[in-house]
Amino acid sequence: MSKLRIGVLGAGGIATDRHIPAFKHVKEVELTAVSDVNIDRAKEVAEKFSIPHVCVDLDEMLGKIDALLICTPNKFHAPAAIQALNAGVHVLCEKPMALNTKECEDMVAAAEQSGKVLLIAYHWRFLKESRAAKRLIDNGEIGKPLVIRIKSMRRRKVPGWGVFTNRDLQGGGALIDYGCHLLDLAMWLTGSPKPYEVTGTTFNDLSMQKDMVNEWGTINPATFEVEDHATAFIRLENGAVVMLETSWAANIPEDEETISISGTKGGIDVFPLRLNKAEHGVLMNSDVTWIPEEKPFAILQAEHFVSCCFGESTPLSSPKESMYVSNIIESVYESAKIGNSVKIR
Ligand SMILES: NC(=O)c1ccc[n+]([C@@H]2O[C@H](COP(=O)([O-])OP(=O)(O)OC[C@H]3O[C@@H](n4cnc5c(N)ncnc54)[C@H](O)[C@@H]3O)[C@@H](O)[C@H]2O)c1
């Protein structure tokens, strides 16, 4: 079998710290080309990882590759993905899928028309705890999911580098950048139901304080354009509800990343993994004490993408599922703006 030739668009932190090293582990892959608006960065990355071609832009790269890895700021996800799919190139795109629902719809349509793979890199699905939780839920341990609680909370970790606080380039802050991961995971664990109504709030009060205490660099309130904290109540078409809270900066005792799902037959906490039940006249909790260790999640994700491109696997995450996450995020922002709930089309 000939190798899958992959090009990298955007050669920043996530490309060099996660995806490129992960693809280096996949023997069916040849990392062929890299492009970045900062051409010196592209050259540096090409040299470091022995990538033969440095391209000035996506146009130049498309003739050389079978698959594209998109690691640019969020604003460029949709146009790059659509251009690549229309050129018959598979796409692995960093999260979030895009800035808004319209862009996601265009990406879904391009993927459907091209028949090529479009996978959004919601990597939490590849964690061993996540996959074990999915097995437990799919095997009926909690029954029908009713109430899903998500906490994706950092006490003081506003990214002080890059463009993460730039609304035009990223589309938002803590929710679109960070809370999206556990939101995607919770939706997948509970069968990827369609969301239909969202009530949300957003805050940026802490980051607007002069000299805010922050573990991840200095924040300039004058250029801070996004939310650092969001909450949401989300109704799903299967009757379940999601209560979501996410923050880069909140006055809480410590960071917390949890999903807790109450179902008709039991409940599950995902990090750490634990079931709770009421059976045979008693209440009991079961801790999961061992989960088979496979490979690191980044390598599993890279292998999975390649296997999908070769037609050997079905994408773990469909473009529509990733779009639902973006539907919710957009609706939280809209709801926060208008001070009322928002119906999703
Ligand atoms: N899955 C995760 O856990 C995770 C973590 C961090 C970042 N991300 C996502 O990865 C993406 C990139 O984040 P990052 O941390 O690597 O940021 P970064 O700032 O380190 O890197 C972005 C790179 O893209 C380049 N770039 C900007 N516009 C471009 C364009 N139009 N064409 C080509 N290159 C362009 C920049 O020069 C830079 O080198 C974002 O979408 C972010 O949400 C995901």
PDB file of all heavy atoms in Angstrom, residues 9-15 18-19 35-38 41 70-74 76-77 94-96 121 123 161-164 170 177 181, ligand 1:
ATOM      1  N   LEU A   9      -0.985  22.395   7.804  1.00  0.00           N
ATOM      2  CA  LEU A   9      -1.259  23.831   7.635  1.00  0.00           C
ATOM      3  C   LEU A   9      -1.326  24.465   9.022  1.00  0.00           C
ATOM      4  O   LEU A   9      -2.230  24.151   9.808  1.00  0.00           O
ATOM      5  CB  LEU A   9      -2.585  24.036   6.898  1.00  0.00           C
ATOM      6  CG  LEU A   9      -2.924  25.490   6.563  1.00  0.00           C
ATOM      7  CD1 LEU A   9      -1.987  26.036   5.482  1.00  0.00           C
ATOM      8  CD2 LEU A   9      -4.374  25.619   6.102  1.00  0.00           C
ATOM      9  N   GLY A  10      -0.373  25.347   9.308  1.00  0.00           N
ATOM     10  CA  GLY A  10      -0.273  25.942  10.654  1.00  0.00           C
ATOM     11  C   GLY A  10       0.703  25.110  11.467  1.00  0.00           C
ATOM     12  O   GLY A  10       0.376  24.009  11.901  1.00  0.00           O
ATOM     13  N   ALA A  11       1.908  25.648  11.635  1.00  0.00           N
ATOM     14  CA  ALA A  11       2.984  24.859  12.254  1.00  0.00           C
ATOM     15  C   ALA A  11       3.294  25.372  13.658  1.00  0.00           C
ATOM     16  O   ALA A  11       4.454  25.516  14.043  1.00  0.00           O
ATOM     17  CB  ALA A  11       4.225  24.916  11.368  1.00  0.00           C
ATOM     18  N   GLY A  12       2.242  25.625  14.435  1.00  0.00           N
ATOM     19  CA  GLY A  12       2.424  26.130  15.798  1.00  0.00           C
ATOM     20  C   GLY A  12       2.490  25.013  16.815  1.00  0.00           C
ATOM     21  O   GLY A  12       2.856  23.870  16.512  1.00  0.00           O
ATOM     22  N   GLY A  13       2.076  25.346  18.028  1.00  0.00           N
ATOM     23  CA  GLY A  13       2.245  24.448  19.169  1.00  0.00           C
ATOM     24  C   GLY A  13       1.575  23.093  19.009  1.00  0.00           C
ATOM     25  O   GLY A  13       2.199  22.053  19.231  1.00  0.00           O
ATOM     26  N   ILE A  14       0.319  23.082  18.598  1.00  0.00           N
ATOM     27  CA  ILE A  14      -0.393  21.794  18.580  1.00  0.00           C
ATOM     28  C   ILE A  14       0.122  20.903  17.445  1.00  0.00           C
ATOM     29  O   ILE A  14       0.132  19.672  17.576  1.00  0.00           O
ATOM     30  CB  ILE A  14      -1.930  22.000  18.489  1.00  0.00           C
ATOM     31  CG1 ILE A  14      -2.664  20.756  18.982  1.00  0.00           C
ATOM     32  CG2 ILE A  14      -2.374  22.378  17.088  1.00  0.00           C
ATOM     33  CD1 ILE A  14      -2.534  20.478  20.431  1.00  0.00           C
ATOM     34  N   ALA A  15       0.580  21.523  16.371  1.00  0.00           N
ATOM     35  CA  ALA A  15       1.149  20.733  15.263  1.00  0.00           C
ATOM     36  C   ALA A  15       2.443  20.065  15.713  1.00  0.00           C
ATOM     37  O   ALA A  15       2.644  18.866  15.497  1.00  0.00           O
ATOM     38  CB  ALA A  15       1.392  21.624  14.048  1.00  0.00           C
ATOM     39  N   ARG A  18       1.961  17.805  19.296  1.00  0.00           N
ATOM     40  CA  ARG A  18       1.068  16.642  19.308  1.00  0.00           C
ATOM     41  C   ARG A  18       1.019  15.917  17.960  1.00  0.00           C
ATOM     42  O   ARG A  18       1.397  14.754  17.868  1.00  0.00           O
ATOM     43  CB  ARG A  18      -0.353  17.044  19.715  1.00  0.00           C
ATOM     44  CG  ARG A  18      -1.320  15.859  19.710  1.00  0.00           C
ATOM     45  CD  ARG A  18      -2.650  16.196  20.319  1.00  0.00           C
ATOM     46  NE  ARG A  18      -2.500  16.678  21.675  1.00  0.00           N
ATOM     47  CZ  ARG A  18      -3.391  17.476  22.290  1.00  0.00           C
ATOM     48  NH1 ARG A  18      -4.485  17.839  21.668  1.00  0.00           N
ATOM     49  NH2 ARG A  18      -3.188  17.880  23.518  1.00  0.00           N
ATOM     50  N   HIS A  19       0.525  16.579  16.926  1.00  0.00           N
ATOM     51  CA  HIS A  19       0.164  15.829  15.719  1.00  0.00           C
ATOM     52  C   HIS A  19       1.364  15.309  14.923  1.00  0.00           C
ATOM     53  O   HIS A  19       1.362  14.166  14.484  1.00  0.00           O
ATOM     54  CB  HIS A  19      -0.716  16.688  14.816  1.00  0.00           C
ATOM     55  CG  HIS A  19      -2.054  16.997  15.419  1.00  0.00           C
ATOM     56  ND1 HIS A  19      -3.023  16.031  15.586  1.00  0.00           N
ATOM     57  CD2 HIS A  19      -2.584  18.142  15.919  1.00  0.00           C
ATOM     58  CE1 HIS A  19      -4.097  16.581  16.137  1.00  0.00           C
ATOM     59  NE2 HIS A  19      -3.850  17.862  16.353  1.00  0.00           N
ATOM     60  N   SER A  35       3.047  24.223   5.755  1.00  0.00           N
ATOM     61  CA  SER A  35       2.839  25.606   5.359  1.00  0.00           C
ATOM     62  C   SER A  35       2.390  26.407   6.570  1.00  0.00           C
ATOM     63  O   SER A  35       1.646  25.895   7.420  1.00  0.00           O
ATOM     64  CB  SER A  35       1.762  25.678   4.262  1.00  0.00           C
ATOM     65  OG  SER A  35       1.560  27.008   3.869  1.00  0.00           O
ATOM     66  N   ASP A  36       2.860  27.621   6.641  1.00  0.00           N
ATOM     67  CA  ASP A  36       2.471  28.522   7.734  1.00  0.00           C
ATOM     68  C   ASP A  36       2.609  29.944   7.208  1.00  0.00           C
ATOM     69  O   ASP A  36       3.518  30.214   6.396  1.00  0.00           O
ATOM     70  CB  ASP A  36       3.407  28.305   8.949  1.00  0.00           C
ATOM     71  CG  ASP A  36       2.871  28.931  10.217  1.00  0.00           C
ATOM     72  OD1 ASP A  36       2.745  30.183  10.278  1.00  0.00           O
ATOM     73  OD2 ASP A  36       2.565  28.189  11.165  1.00  0.00           O
ATOM     74  N   VAL A  37       1.733  30.845   7.652  1.00  0.00           N
ATOM     75  CA  VAL A  37       1.875  32.236   7.208  1.00  0.00           C
ATOM     76  C   VAL A  37       3.224  32.800   7.655  1.00  0.00           C
ATOM     77  O   VAL A  37       3.760  33.701   7.024  1.00  0.00           O
ATOM     78  CB  VAL A  37       0.734  33.154   7.729  1.00  0.00           C
ATOM     79  CG1 VAL A  37      -0.534  32.946   6.935  1.00  0.00           C
ATOM     80  CG2 VAL A  37       0.495  32.986   9.210  1.00  0.00           C
ATOM     81  N   ASN A  38       3.745  32.240   8.709  1.00  0.00           N
ATOM     82  CA  ASN A  38       5.099  32.575   9.150  1.00  0.00           C
ATOM     83  C   ASN A  38       6.050  31.554   8.493  1.00  0.00           C
ATOM     84  O   ASN A  38       6.252  30.461   8.994  1.00  0.00           O
ATOM     85  CB  ASN A  38       5.157  32.493  10.679  1.00  0.00           C
ATOM     86  CG  ASN A  38       6.531  32.781  11.216  1.00  0.00           C
ATOM     87  OD1 ASN A  38       7.513  32.797  10.479  1.00  0.00           O
ATOM     88  ND2 ASN A  38       6.604  32.994  12.525  1.00  0.00           N
ATOM     89  N   ARG A  41       8.820  29.910  10.399  1.00  0.00           N
ATOM     90  CA  ARG A  41       8.341  28.859  11.298  1.00  0.00           C
ATOM     91  C   ARG A  41       8.151  27.553  10.510  1.00  0.00           C
ATOM     92  O   ARG A  41       8.536  26.477  10.959  1.00  0.00           O
ATOM     93  CB  ARG A  41       7.019  29.315  11.944  1.00  0.00           C
ATOM     94  CG  ARG A  41       6.312  28.279  12.764  1.00  0.00           C
ATOM     95  CD  ARG A  41       7.007  28.005  14.088  1.00  0.00           C
ATOM     96  NE  ARG A  41       6.316  26.940  14.809  1.00  0.00           N
ATOM     97  CZ  ARG A  41       6.766  26.375  15.907  1.00  0.00           C
ATOM     98  NH1 ARG A  41       7.891  26.762  16.443  1.00  0.00           N
ATOM     99  NH2 ARG A  41       6.092  25.417  16.502  1.00  0.00           N
ATOM    100  N   ILE A  70      -5.083  20.461   9.707  1.00  0.00           N
ATOM    101  CA  ILE A  70      -5.287  21.909   9.884  1.00  0.00           C
ATOM    102  C   ILE A  70      -5.050  22.291  11.341  1.00  0.00           C
ATOM    103  O   ILE A  70      -5.787  21.856  12.241  1.00  0.00           O
ATOM    104  CB  ILE A  70      -6.707  22.323   9.448  1.00  0.00           C
ATOM    105  CG1 ILE A  70      -6.947  21.945   7.985  1.00  0.00           C
ATOM    106  CG2 ILE A  70      -6.917  23.831   9.667  1.00  0.00           C
ATOM    107  CD1 ILE A  70      -8.366  22.212   7.487  1.00  0.00           C
ATOM    108  N   CYS A  71      -4.035  23.090  11.575  1.00  0.00           N
ATOM    109  CA  CYS A  71      -3.673  23.528  12.938  1.00  0.00           C
ATOM    110  C   CYS A  71      -3.510  25.043  12.991  1.00  0.00           C
ATOM    111  O   CYS A  71      -2.616  25.563  13.659  1.00  0.00           O
ATOM    112  CB  CYS A  71      -2.369  22.869  13.378  1.00  0.00           C
ATOM    113  SG  CYS A  71      -2.471  21.095  13.533  1.00  0.00           S
ATOM    114  N   THR A  72      -4.352  25.734  12.264  1.00  0.00           N
ATOM    115  CA  THR A  72      -4.320  27.201  12.250  1.00  0.00           C
ATOM    116  C   THR A  72      -5.251  27.735  13.342  1.00  0.00           C
ATOM    117  O   THR A  72      -6.043  26.967  13.918  1.00  0.00           O
ATOM    118  CB  THR A  72      -4.869  27.719  10.912  1.00  0.00           C
ATOM    119  OG1 THR A  72      -6.239  27.277  10.824  1.00  0.00           O
ATOM    120  CG2 THR A  72      -4.092  27.182   9.732  1.00  0.00           C
ATOM    121  N   PRO A  73      -5.248  29.043  13.589  1.00  0.00           N
ATOM    122  CA  PRO A  73      -6.323  29.616  14.401  1.00  0.00           C
ATOM    123  C   PRO A  73      -7.689  29.241  13.822  1.00  0.00           C
ATOM    124  O   PRO A  73      -7.817  28.956  12.621  1.00  0.00           O
ATOM    125  CB  PRO A  73      -6.053  31.129  14.314  1.00  0.00           C
ATOM    126  CG  PRO A  73      -4.572  31.224  14.087  1.00  0.00           C
ATOM    127  CD  PRO A  73      -4.235  30.044  13.206  1.00  0.00           C
ATOM    128  N   ASN A  74      -8.714  29.277  14.666  1.00  0.00           N
ATOM    129  CA  ASN A  74     -10.033  28.737  14.308  1.00  0.00           C
ATOM    130  C   ASN A  74     -10.640  29.371  13.047  1.00  0.00           C
ATOM    131  O   ASN A  74     -11.354  28.714  12.297  1.00  0.00           O
ATOM    132  CB  ASN A  74     -11.004  28.940  15.475  1.00  0.00           C
ATOM    133  CG  ASN A  74     -10.493  28.290  16.753  1.00  0.00           C
ATOM    134  OD1 ASN A  74      -9.605  27.444  16.705  1.00  0.00           O
ATOM    135  ND2 ASN A  74     -11.043  28.685  17.892  1.00  0.00           N
ATOM    136  N   PHE A  76      -9.538  30.013  10.274  1.00  0.00           N
ATOM    137  CA  PHE A  76      -9.112  29.459   8.986  1.00  0.00           C
ATOM    138  C   PHE A  76      -9.475  27.980   8.831  1.00  0.00           C
ATOM    139  O   PHE A  76      -9.182  27.385   7.801  1.00  0.00           O
ATOM    140  CB  PHE A  76      -7.599  29.692   8.814  1.00  0.00           C
ATOM    141  CG  PHE A  76      -7.220  31.120   9.058  1.00  0.00           C
ATOM    142  CD1 PHE A  76      -6.504  31.493  10.192  1.00  0.00           C
ATOM    143  CD2 PHE A  76      -7.638  32.115   8.179  1.00  0.00           C
ATOM    144  CE1 PHE A  76      -6.197  32.822  10.444  1.00  0.00           C
ATOM    145  CE2 PHE A  76      -7.339  33.451   8.421  1.00  0.00           C
ATOM    146  CZ  PHE A  76      -6.618  33.808   9.557  1.00  0.00           C
ATOM    147  N   HIS A  77     -10.113  27.388   9.850  1.00  0.00           N
ATOM    148  CA  HIS A  77     -10.460  25.962   9.753  1.00  0.00           C
ATOM    149  C   HIS A  77     -11.393  25.698   8.570  1.00  0.00           C
ATOM    150  O   HIS A  77     -11.132  24.819   7.742  1.00  0.00           O
ATOM    151  CB  HIS A  77     -11.132  25.478  11.048  1.00  0.00           C
ATOM    152  CG  HIS A  77     -10.218  25.403  12.228  1.00  0.00           C
ATOM    153  ND1 HIS A  77     -10.610  24.901  13.446  1.00  0.00           N
ATOM    154  CD2 HIS A  77      -8.919  25.766  12.398  1.00  0.00           C
ATOM    155  CE1 HIS A  77      -9.600  24.963  14.298  1.00  0.00           C
ATOM    156  NE2 HIS A  77      -8.570  25.490  13.697  1.00  0.00           N
ATOM    157  N   GLU A  94      -8.130  20.599  13.562  1.00  0.00           N
ATOM    158  CA  GLU A  94      -8.165  20.835  15.009  1.00  0.00           C
ATOM    159  C   GLU A  94      -9.536  21.362  15.442  1.00  0.00           C
ATOM    160  O   GLU A  94     -10.303  21.869  14.650  1.00  0.00           O
ATOM    161  CB  GLU A  94      -7.057  21.825  15.411  1.00  0.00           C
ATOM    162  CG  GLU A  94      -5.881  21.170  16.109  1.00  0.00           C
ATOM    163  CD  GLU A  94      -6.284  20.321  17.330  1.00  0.00           C
ATOM    164  OE1 GLU A  94      -7.355  20.542  17.906  1.00  0.00           O
ATOM    165  OE2 GLU A  94      -5.517  19.426  17.702  1.00  0.00           O
ATOM    166  N   LYS A  95      -9.823  21.192  16.719  1.00  0.00           N
ATOM    167  CA  LYS A  95     -11.061  21.713  17.274  1.00  0.00           C
ATOM    168  C   LYS A  95     -10.906  23.188  17.558  1.00  0.00           C
ATOM    169  O   LYS A  95      -9.769  23.631  17.679  1.00  0.00           O
ATOM    170  CB  LYS A  95     -11.482  20.972  18.542  1.00  0.00           C
ATOM    171  CG  LYS A  95     -10.459  20.769  19.636  1.00  0.00           C
ATOM    172  CD  LYS A  95      -9.626  21.852  20.212  1.00  0.00           C
ATOM    173  CE  LYS A  95     -10.171  23.102  20.775  1.00  0.00           C
ATOM    174  NZ  LYS A  95      -9.126  23.991  21.370  1.00  0.00           N
ATOM    175  N   PRO A  96     -11.987  23.941  17.653  1.00  0.00           N
ATOM    176  CA  PRO A  96     -13.354  23.592  17.322  1.00  0.00           C
ATOM    177  C   PRO A  96     -13.474  23.441  15.805  1.00  0.00           C
ATOM    178  O   PRO A  96     -12.609  23.908  15.064  1.00  0.00           O
ATOM    179  CB  PRO A  96     -14.143  24.808  17.819  1.00  0.00           C
ATOM    180  CG  PRO A  96     -13.194  25.945  17.595  1.00  0.00           C
ATOM    181  CD  PRO A  96     -11.850  25.384  17.924  1.00  0.00           C
ATOM    182  N   ALA A 121     -10.501  17.018  15.491  1.00  0.00           N
ATOM    183  CA  ALA A 121      -9.599  16.401  16.475  1.00  0.00           C
ATOM    184  C   ALA A 121     -10.077  16.609  17.920  1.00  0.00           C
ATOM    185  O   ALA A 121      -9.391  17.226  18.736  1.00  0.00           O
ATOM    186  CB  ALA A 121      -8.181  16.951  16.291  1.00  0.00           C
ATOM    187  N   HIS A 123      -9.878  15.064  20.747  1.00  0.00           N
ATOM    188  CA  HIS A 123      -9.041  13.929  21.145  1.00  0.00           C
ATOM    189  C   HIS A 123      -9.457  13.285  22.471  1.00  0.00           C
ATOM    190  O   HIS A 123      -9.029  12.173  22.767  1.00  0.00           O
ATOM    191  CB  HIS A 123      -7.573  14.363  21.231  1.00  0.00           C
ATOM    192  CG  HIS A 123      -7.297  15.286  22.374  1.00  0.00           C
ATOM    193  ND1 HIS A 123      -7.287  16.647  22.230  1.00  0.00           N
ATOM    194  CD2 HIS A 123      -7.041  15.044  23.686  1.00  0.00           C
ATOM    195  CE1 HIS A 123      -7.033  17.202  23.396  1.00  0.00           C
ATOM    196  NE2 HIS A 123      -6.872  16.256  24.298  1.00  0.00           N
ATOM    197  N   TRP A 161      -0.439  33.408  25.570  1.00  0.00           N
ATOM    198  CA  TRP A 161       0.340  33.409  24.331  1.00  0.00           C
ATOM    199  C   TRP A 161      -0.629  33.252  23.159  1.00  0.00           C
ATOM    200  O   TRP A 161      -1.821  33.027  23.356  1.00  0.00           O
ATOM    201  CB  TRP A 161       1.340  32.240  24.342  1.00  0.00           C
ATOM    202  CG  TRP A 161       0.656  30.911  24.378  1.00  0.00           C
ATOM    203  CD1 TRP A 161       0.229  30.169  23.302  1.00  0.00           C
ATOM    204  CD2 TRP A 161       0.250  30.185  25.548  1.00  0.00           C
ATOM    205  NE1 TRP A 161      -0.405  29.027  23.742  1.00  0.00           N
ATOM    206  CE2 TRP A 161      -0.407  29.012  25.108  1.00  0.00           C
ATOM    207  CE3 TRP A 161       0.386  30.405  26.926  1.00  0.00           C
ATOM    208  CZ2 TRP A 161      -0.930  28.065  25.992  1.00  0.00           C
ATOM    209  CZ3 TRP A 161      -0.137  29.457  27.803  1.00  0.00           C
ATOM    210  CH2 TRP A 161      -0.781  28.305  27.333  1.00  0.00           C
ATOM    211  N   GLY A 162      -0.081  33.361  21.941  1.00  0.00           N
ATOM    212  CA  GLY A 162      -0.885  33.085  20.742  1.00  0.00           C
ATOM    213  C   GLY A 162      -2.055  34.037  20.601  1.00  0.00           C
ATOM    214  O   GLY A 162      -1.994  35.190  21.060  1.00  0.00           O
ATOM    215  N   VAL A 163      -3.131  33.543  19.960  1.00  0.00           N
ATOM    216  CA  VAL A 163      -4.264  34.413  19.619  1.00  0.00           C
ATOM    217  C   VAL A 163      -5.536  33.995  20.356  1.00  0.00           C
ATOM    218  O   VAL A 163      -6.639  34.310  19.930  1.00  0.00           O
ATOM    219  CB  VAL A 163      -4.501  34.400  18.087  1.00  0.00           C
ATOM    220  CG1 VAL A 163      -3.288  34.958  17.353  1.00  0.00           C
ATOM    221  CG2 VAL A 163      -4.825  32.989  17.581  1.00  0.00           C
ATOM    222  N   PHE A 164      -5.383  33.279  21.458  1.00  0.00           N
ATOM    223  CA  PHE A 164      -6.541  32.669  22.120  1.00  0.00           C
ATOM    224  C   PHE A 164      -7.548  33.683  22.673  1.00  0.00           C
ATOM    225  O   PHE A 164      -8.696  33.329  22.915  1.00  0.00           O
ATOM    226  CB  PHE A 164      -6.074  31.736  23.242  1.00  0.00           C
ATOM    227  CG  PHE A 164      -5.422  30.490  22.722  1.00  0.00           C
ATOM    228  CD1 PHE A 164      -4.042  30.415  22.571  1.00  0.00           C
ATOM    229  CD2 PHE A 164      -6.182  29.403  22.335  1.00  0.00           C
ATOM    230  CE1 PHE A 164      -3.437  29.277  22.066  1.00  0.00           C
ATOM    231  CE2 PHE A 164      -5.595  28.258  21.821  1.00  0.00           C
ATOM    232  CZ  PHE A 164      -4.214  28.202  21.686  1.00  0.00           C
ATOM    233  N   GLN A 170     -10.462  33.551  16.872  1.00  0.00           N
ATOM    234  CA  GLN A 170     -10.830  32.329  17.595  1.00  0.00           C
ATOM    235  C   GLN A 170     -12.337  32.149  17.754  1.00  0.00           C
ATOM    236  O   GLN A 170     -12.800  31.049  18.015  1.00  0.00           O
ATOM    237  CB  GLN A 170     -10.175  32.336  18.995  1.00  0.00           C
ATOM    238  CG  GLN A 170      -8.656  32.178  18.966  1.00  0.00           C
ATOM    239  CD  GLN A 170      -8.220  30.823  18.435  1.00  0.00           C
ATOM    240  OE1 GLN A 170      -7.907  30.686  17.263  1.00  0.00           O
ATOM    241  NE2 GLN A 170      -8.197  29.806  19.269  1.00  0.00           N
ATOM    242  N   ASP A 177     -12.649  27.228  23.123  1.00  0.00           N
ATOM    243  CA  ASP A 177     -11.286  26.689  23.132  1.00  0.00           C
ATOM    244  C   ASP A 177     -11.139  25.461  24.015  1.00  0.00           C
ATOM    245  O   ASP A 177     -10.457  24.503  23.642  1.00  0.00           O
ATOM    246  CB  ASP A 177     -10.317  27.775  23.630  1.00  0.00           C
ATOM    247  CG  ASP A 177      -8.927  27.209  23.829  1.00  0.00           C
ATOM    248  OD1 ASP A 177      -8.352  26.741  22.827  1.00  0.00           O
ATOM    249  OD2 ASP A 177      -8.424  27.189  24.973  1.00  0.00           O
ATOM    250  N   HIS A 181     -14.144  20.508  24.509  1.00  0.00           N
ATOM    251  CA  HIS A 181     -13.652  19.122  24.577  1.00  0.00           C
ATOM    252  C   HIS A 181     -14.600  18.230  25.382  1.00  0.00           C
ATOM    253  O   HIS A 181     -15.029  17.172  24.914  1.00  0.00           O
ATOM    254  CB  HIS A 181     -12.277  19.082  25.259  1.00  0.00           C
ATOM    255  CG  HIS A 181     -11.140  19.453  24.371  1.00  0.00           C
ATOM    256  ND1 HIS A 181     -10.783  18.721  23.280  1.00  0.00           N
ATOM    257  CD2 HIS A 181     -10.245  20.469  24.445  1.00  0.00           C
ATOM    258  CE1 HIS A 181      -9.722  19.270  22.700  1.00  0.00           C
ATOM    259  NE2 HIS A 181      -9.388  20.334  23.387  1.00  0.00           N
TER     260      HIS A 181
HETATM  261  N1  LIG B   1      -6.842  19.731  20.836  1.00  0.00           N
HETATM  262  C1  LIG B   1      -6.239  20.512  21.717  1.00  0.00           C
HETATM  263  O1  LIG B   1      -6.098  20.170  22.880  1.00  0.00           O
HETATM  264  C2  LIG B   1      -5.691  21.829  21.258  1.00  0.00           C
HETATM  265  C3  LIG B   1      -4.727  22.485  22.020  1.00  0.00           C
HETATM  266  C4  LIG B   1      -4.210  23.680  21.533  1.00  0.00           C
HETATM  267  C5  LIG B   1      -4.683  24.218  20.342  1.00  0.00           C
HETATM  268  N2  LIG B   1      -5.653  23.559  19.642  1.00  0.00           N
HETATM  269  C6  LIG B   1      -6.176  24.131  18.389  1.00  0.00           C
HETATM  270  O2  LIG B   1      -5.143  24.124  17.411  1.00  0.00           O
HETATM  271  C7  LIG B   1      -5.216  25.289  16.598  1.00  0.00           C
HETATM  272  C8  LIG B   1      -3.865  25.991  16.642  1.00  0.00           C
HETATM  273  O3  LIG B   1      -3.511  26.237  17.981  1.00  0.00           O
HETATM  274  P1  LIG B   1      -1.990  26.339  18.447  1.00  0.00           P
HETATM  275  O4  LIG B   1      -1.994  26.231  19.921  1.00  0.00           O
HETATM  276  O5  LIG B   1      -1.123  25.436  17.669  1.00  0.00           O
HETATM  277  O6  LIG B   1      -1.696  27.867  18.052  1.00  0.00           O
HETATM  278  P2  LIG B   1      -0.313  28.518  17.651  1.00  0.00           P
HETATM  279  O7  LIG B   1      -0.536  29.977  17.732  1.00  0.00           O
HETATM  280  O8  LIG B   1       0.781  27.901  18.444  1.00  0.00           O
HETATM  281  O9  LIG B   1      -0.102  28.060  16.133  1.00  0.00           O
HETATM  282  C9  LIG B   1      -0.898  28.496  15.060  1.00  0.00           C
HETATM  283  C10 LIG B   1      -0.012  28.578  13.824  1.00  0.00           C
HETATM  284  O10 LIG B   1      -0.834  28.853  12.693  1.00  0.00           O
HETATM  285  C11 LIG B   1      -0.167  29.816  11.884  1.00  0.00           C
HETATM  286  N3  LIG B   1      -1.175  30.476  11.066  1.00  0.00           N
HETATM  287  C12 LIG B   1      -1.998  31.502  11.394  1.00  0.00           C
HETATM  288  N4  LIG B   1      -2.836  31.776  10.382  1.00  0.00           N
HETATM  289  C13 LIG B   1      -2.534  30.903   9.387  1.00  0.00           C
HETATM  290  C14 LIG B   1      -3.044  30.694   8.089  1.00  0.00           C
HETATM  291  N5  LIG B   1      -4.068  31.422   7.613  1.00  0.00           N
HETATM  292  N6  LIG B   1      -2.470  29.739   7.317  1.00  0.00           N
HETATM  293  C15 LIG B   1      -1.440  29.009   7.776  1.00  0.00           C
HETATM  294  N7  LIG B   1      -0.904  29.158   9.004  1.00  0.00           N
HETATM  295  C16 LIG B   1      -1.464  30.082   9.804  1.00  0.00           C
HETATM  296  C17 LIG B   1       0.542  30.714  12.863  1.00  0.00           C
HETATM  297  O11 LIG B   1       1.597  31.422  12.240  1.00  0.00           O
HETATM  298  C18 LIG B   1       1.032  29.694  13.893  1.00  0.00           C
HETATM  299  O12 LIG B   1       2.304  29.172  13.578  1.00  0.00           O
HETATM  300  C19 LIG B   1      -6.399  26.097  17.133  1.00  0.00           C
HETATM  301  O13 LIG B   1      -7.533  25.836  16.355  1.00  0.00           O
HETATM  302  C20 LIG B   1      -6.611  25.574  18.537  1.00  0.00           C
HETATM  303  O14 LIG B   1      -7.975  25.623  18.955  1.00  0.00           O
HETATM  304  C21 LIG B   1      -6.137  22.382  20.072  1.00  0.00           C
END
